[in-house]
Amino acid sequence: MYLDEQPSVEIELIRDINSMNDYNKSGIVNHLAFTVENMNEAINHYKKKGIEILSPEPQPTLEGGRMILFRGPSDELLQLVERVVVIAENPLD
């Protein structure tokens, strides 16, 4: 769900019909995702604070961006997402 008034906020509802792993069995929510401008800077920032990233490298998203997961203080799954930057073509070219 997107709101025109707040384009930086997105709410995504997912129903896990056939759970294939422990993805949603711990924590207080399934997961929360936060968009970042620069994935590498964000990863370095959190690693310096002692946060353990759950995979060695960012993983691709369905939209072509990158994402990475880590655990929050209540064992909730947290996600950083770097979106694809789309450059609009100039119709005057």
Side-chain angles (χ1 to χ4, degrees), residues 12-81:
E12 181 179 67
L13 302 175
I14 300 171
R15 181 174 177 209
D16 191 5
I17 296 172
N18 297 315
S19 180
M20 297 175 58
N21 55 30
D22 293 337
Y23 179 68
N24 59 356
K25 293 183 181 176
S26 63
I28 57 175
V29 295
N30 183 294
H31 83 279
L32 296 174
F34 301 93
T35 302
V36 297
E37 295 290 323
N38 184 307
M39 180 65 72
N40 294 333
E41 285 180 12
I43 290 171
N44 289 334
H45 172 80
Y46 286 108
K47 282 185 175 180
K48 286 179 185 175
K49 297 200 173 281
I51 304 295
E52 179 184 344
I53 304 298
L54 298 179
S55 61
E57 295 292 325
Q59 303 300 308
T61 65
L62 295 176
E63 298 84 18
R66 302 187 308 157
M67 71 88 169
I68 201 149
L69 301 167
F70 60 99
R71 297 262 176 214
S74 297
D75 202 33
E76 66 275 16
L77 194 58
L78 300 176
Q79 179 182 37
L80 299 178
V81 179

